[in-house]
Structures are given as C-alpha cells and as structure tokens.
C-alpha cells in the first residue's frame, strides 16, 4: 500500500492545520472546550462571532454559565451546611 503524506492523526486535524499551521474557528473552539475539560476551570468564556461556529460557541457559553451556577450553588450549600 502506498504511504500517505500525513498520519491518521494529522488527517483528523486537517491539512490546513497539519501542513500550514493554520487553525480554523472550529479547531479553536474545540481546543477551548478541551482546555475546560482538562483544566476544570469553567470561568473562561469562548469567543463569539457571527459564523456557525460562533453560534455553537454562544450555546457552549450558556452551558458554561449553567455549570458555573451549579458550582456556586453547591459551594454555597456546603458553606451553609458547615455553619453551626
């Protein structure tokens, strides 16, 4: 079988990213989502623009708002429960 010029992982990233180091809005958003997942810091919001990816980022920010609300409510409940 002939060898391809990119690996399977590079194929998933796409040629712009692999060969030219260029990113796309979708890759940027996915990178931010991965940072949230790996780091556990959900306070940073995603950027927004008027593209389809921007619309996804807006909805993702709503998810982050909900996550932060839940975290704060639980922290508050723990503080209240711990008071004599």
């Amino acid at each position: 079988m002939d060898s391809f010029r990119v690996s399977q992982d590079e194929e998933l990233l796409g040629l712009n990213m692999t060969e030219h180091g260029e990113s796309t809005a979708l890759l940027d958003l996915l990178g931010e989502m991965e940072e949230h997942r790996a780091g556990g810091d959900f306070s940073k919001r995603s950027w927004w623009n008027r593209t389809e990816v921007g619309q996804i980022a807006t909805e993702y920010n709503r998810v982050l708002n909900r996550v932060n609300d839940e975290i704060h409510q639980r922290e508050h409940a723990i503080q209240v429960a711990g008071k004599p």
Side-chain angles (χ1 to χ4, degrees):
M1 184 192 306
D2 291 333
S3 176
F4 293 102
R5 66 180 192 209
V6 296
S7 69
Q8 186 176 5
D9 289 339
E10 290 172 329
E11 178 73 17
L12 292 174
L13 280 174
L15 291 176
N16 280 342
M17 183 67 169
T18 302
E19 293 188 340
H20 307 294
E22 295 177 11
S23 188
T24 65
L26 182 57
L27 286 176
D28 292 343
L29 176 59
L30 291 173
E32 288 181 13
M33 294 169 94
E34 173 60 19
E35 287 177 18
H36 287 144
R37 185 202 62 78
D41 178 5
F42 302 104
S43 61
K44 180 184 172 192
R45 294 298 176 268
S46 192
W47 51 270
W48 186 89
N49 62 33
R50 297 188 188 278
T51 65
E52 289 175 338
V53 173
Q55 292 171 343
I56 294 169
T58 298
E59 290 304 314
Y60 181 63
N61 285 337
R62 290 180 179 160
V63 170
L64 291 175
N65 289 339
R66 177 66 187 266
V67 167
N68 281 307
D69 288 347
E70 292 290 328
I71 289 170
H72 292 133
Q73 287 176 9
R74 291 174 190 203
E75 288 173 346
H76 178 72
I78 290 168
Q79 288 175 353
V80 170
K83 290 184 180 179

